[in-house]
Amino acid sequence: MSEARTAKGKIRQGQKESVRPLIPAARIQKRIRAMAKEIRRDFPEERLHLVSVLKGGVFFLTDLARSIPGEVSFDFIAVASYGQNTHSSGQVRLTRDLDSSIEGRTVIVVEDILDTGMTLQYLLRLFQQRKPKHLRVAVLLDKPERRIAAVRADYVGFTIPNEFVVGYGLDYSERYRNLPYVGILKLGSGAKPQK
Ligand code: IMP
Ligand code: MG
């Protein structure tokens, strides 16, 4: 239904909130298998320690981990962002630390999306201080147009346009994470969704 009636019975112009499919589930799975191979090719002998950022990165982590042959372990971290993420004053704070040390390990940070880059910049600084053997970044989605921080991912699933996306772990107020595909969120009001 795309129309609703006001109390006075007039038809309201607004549309219902909707998600327009952007990347189908099968394409995501295929791309993750290819990324897993690429990561293993770069580190053929090493145990890979995947570190995912809660909660958005969880589906990507579990699918990626199952596609990487050989020894893999993983851990989780959670962060909260403060202030306007759309400019450089956006601050990131740690809300849940890793369970174990990453010193001497080959660490792959697994993130759902690289947007302004503020989150990743914070995490890379934090992890670098802990002296991993290697530190790499894998992101499912990259929105390069929005970048503020000078960070880049070593492995990118899909480069996408500057649109607010949901699904496959990505949320809008905690909703839509469970969609098996990635889609562009359109709000009923026509306004641009904000993370
Ligand atoms: P950054 O610090 O600006 O790079 O933002 C990274 C985080 O913002 C991601 O891990 C997501 O949780 C969230 N985010 C950025 N863009 C989107 C989007 O299009 N949809 C949903 N969440 C997003
Ligand atoms: Mg989020």
Side-chain angles (χ1 to χ4, degrees), residues 17 25 28 46 64 80 83 93 96 99 146 151 180 188:
E17 186 175 300
I28 296 175
E46 318 249 341
L64 188 68
R93 182 175 64 96
R96 183 209 186 273
D99 286 336
R146 293 255 306 165
V151 289

Side-chain angles (χ1 to χ4, degrees), residues 54-67:
L54 293 171
K55 297 167 231 174
V58 167
F59 295 121
F60 181 34
L61 172 105
T62 57
D63 283 336
L64 188 68
R66 282 178 290 182
S67 296

Side-chain angles (χ1 to χ4, degrees), residues 1-5 11-16:
M1 267 240 298
S2 61
E3 59 178 46
R5 283 175 193 275
I11 291 170
R12 212 180 265 149
Q13 288 302 312
Q15 296 244 317
K16 239 182 108 182

Side-chain angles (χ1 to χ4, degrees), residues 41-88:
R41 211 185 305 124
D42 290 349
F43 301 99
E45 308 292 341
E46 318 249 341
R47 185 224 276 194
L48 297 171
H49 192 59
L50 308 184
V51 169
S52 185
V53 186
L54 293 171
K55 297 167 231 174
V58 167
F59 295 121
F60 181 34
L61 172 105
T62 57
D63 283 336
L64 188 68
R66 282 178 290 182
S67 296
I68 300 176
E71 240 189 291
V72 171
S73 54
F74 53 76
D75 203 346
F76 298 96
I77 199 160
V79 294
S81 330
Y82 281 105
Q84 273 296 345
N85 240 325
T86 47
H87 55 75
S88 48

